[in-house]
Amino acid sequence: MPTFDIVSEFDSHEASNAVDQANREIQSRFDFKGVTASFELNGETVALEAEVDFQLKQMLDVLRGKLIARGIDARCMDVQDPVLSGVRARQEVILKQGLDQKEAKDIVKRIKDTKLKVQAQIQGDKVRVNGKKRDDLQAVMALLRGEGGPELPLQFDNFRD
C-alpha cells in the first residue's frame, strides 16, 4: 500500500550557513558602516542585535533572503517582537521545525474533507498518509502545496509504493 509522510523541517547546517552569510553581508554593507550589528544562531533561534529597530528590519530582510537562497522556506521563521533597551535593539527569530498537534490536526482535516480514498494519521511531529492508489496520494500532495494548503513549509518524505 503506497504511503508518504508530511513533515515540516529544514537543514540546520544550511541555516548556519545562511546566518554566516548574513553576518558577512551586514559587515560589508555601506549603511551598516561603523554600526555594531550581528546575527547569532543558538540552536533553532537566531538572535539579531543592532543599534536601532530600523536596522533590525533591514537585518531581518537580509536573513530572510539568505535563508531562501539556501533552500529554507521563509515561512518557518517565527519573528518575535523587538526589545529596545537604551542604545541596543534585540530581536529573536525562531526557526520552527516539526508539526505541532494543532497543525497536524488541521492537515488531517483538510485531507479528510477532500473525500479521497486515503487515510491520514498523526505520528508524533509528522502525518502519515496511505491509500491504495498512487494518484490519490499525489492529489493530496497537490492539495497541500496549492492555494488551499496550510501556511506552513511542508515536505513530503518516505514515499513508498
Side-chain angles (χ1 to χ4, degrees):
M1 184 173 266
T3 65
F4 71 91
D5 294 335
I6 302 169
V7 296
S8 178
E9 56 190 27
F10 61 88
D11 187 2
S12 60
H13 184 68
E14 291 295 333
S16 174
N17 289 341
V19 170
D20 290 341
Q21 284 182 342
N23 262 326
R24 276 188 250 123
E25 181 173 330
I26 291 298
Q27 300 303 322
S28 65
R29 279 179 56 158
F30 180 74
D31 55 344
F32 280 89
K33 286 279 192 232
V35 174
T36 55
S38 65
F39 296 94
E40 186 178 335
L41 181 66
N42 295 323
E44 294 181 356
T45 303
V46 180
L48 288 71
E49 189 169 335
E51 292 179 358
V52 293
D53 62 338
F54 176 75
Q55 292 169 339
L56 286 178
K57 291 178 186 173
Q58 290 177 323
M59 290 172 66
L60 197 59
D61 289 339
V62 169
L63 179 64
R64 185 175 285 119
K66 296 300 178 184
L67 287 172
I68 291 171
R70 285 295 197 169
I72 298 174
D73 197 333
R75 293 180 290 183
C76 74
M77 293 174 52
D78 183 18
V79 181
Q80 305 296 315
D81 292 331
V83 177
L84 306 173
S85 62
V87 295
R88 304 299 301 157
R90 292 181 180 86
Q91 188 171 18
E92 287 190 348
V93 176
I94 299 170
L95 300 174
K96 295 187 298 185
Q97 188 158 280
L99 296 172
D100 64 7
Q101 199 69 21
K102 181 182 171 216
E103 294 166 341
K105 284 182 181 180
D106 181 50
I107 289 172
V108 170
K109 182 180 180 305
R110 287 173 191 261
I111 292 171
K112 288 187 178 184
D113 288 345
T114 63
K115 304 289 187 206
L116 291 171
K117 294 187 178 185
V118 295
Q119 291 85 38
Q121 50 197 178
I122 300 169
Q123 295 182 339
D125 61 348
K126 62 185 174 182
V127 176
R128 172 147 304 156
V129 180
N130 57 9
K132 289 184 179 180
K133 295 182 183 175
R134 182 181 204 165
D135 293 339
D136 290 341
L137 297 181
Q138 290 173 341
V140 169
M141 287 182 192
L143 166 83
L144 294 175
R145 282 188 187 128
E147 297 270 329
E151 288 297 318
L152 298 169
L154 297 177
Q155 292 85 31
F156 305 104
D157 288 346
N158 288 341
F159 193 91
R160 311 242 167 133
D161 207 7

